Amino acid sequence: MNTAAIYHRTESEYAYLYTNELMHVRLRTARADCKNVSLVHGDPYELEKKRWYKQPSAMRKTLSTDLYDYWEVDVTAPYHRLSMRLWLRPDKMAQYGLIPDDISSVL
């Protein structure tokens, strides 16, 4: 996995409010590096009540260039608070000897 190609930044074109209720979240990975990507998201104050951390949303690949794949998902945040974690295939990460914290450190 090319961790140098992984890119996401909040408050940018990679996470922005599309309408009053809908947010687009994007991620860049190296081309053909991931078969699927998920986003786990929800209201941080409803973590235990709704257990949203157990309900990942599949991101769709929206664009591929010679170097990168771009992934996107639409999310809502009814109380305008959002906590999220991008999840790259954990089984593939393990093959490369990576853990989620390794990915977090490059984001």
Side-chain angles (χ1 to χ4, degrees):
M1 179 172 281
N2 181 358
T3 58
I6 299 169
Y7 183 77
H8 172 80
R9 193 178 70 180
T10 57
E11 299 179 18
S12 73
E13 65 278 5
Y14 284 84
Y16 62 93
L17 202 56
Y18 185 68
T19 67
N20 286 337
E21 300 298 323
L22 187 67
M23 182 176 203
H24 286 181
V25 177
R26 294 180 175 156
L27 174 73
R28 183 189 77 192
T29 61
R31 184 179 174 99
D33 223 7
C34 296
K35 288 186 180 177
N36 57 42
V37 177
S38 297
L39 179 77
V40 178
H41 63 91
D43 188 323
Y45 295 101
E46 295 186 333
L47 181 66
E48 290 302 319
K49 180 180 174 186
K50 299 222 176 176
R51 297 186 180 270
W52 51 261
Y53 56 90
K54 294 186 176 190
Q55 302 166 6
S57 299
M59 298 183 80
R60 64 190 175 281
K61 191 186 305 184
T62 57
L63 176 68
S64 289
T65 66
D66 291 342
L67 299 175
Y68 304 112
D69 288 333
Y70 294 88
W71 303 83
E72 185 175 301
V73 66
D74 302 330
V75 300
T76 58
Y79 301 107
H80 303 284
R81 301 180 296 239
L82 187 64
S83 209
M84 62 182 176
R85 177 166 299 255
L86 297 158
W87 194 247
L88 310 175
R89 293 192 51 222
D91 55 329
K92 185 162 184 150
M93 289 172 50
Q95 290 175 1
Y96 291 104
L98 297 170
I99 59 172
D101 289 339
D102 295 330
I103 301 302
S104 298
S105 68
V106 299
L107 295 178

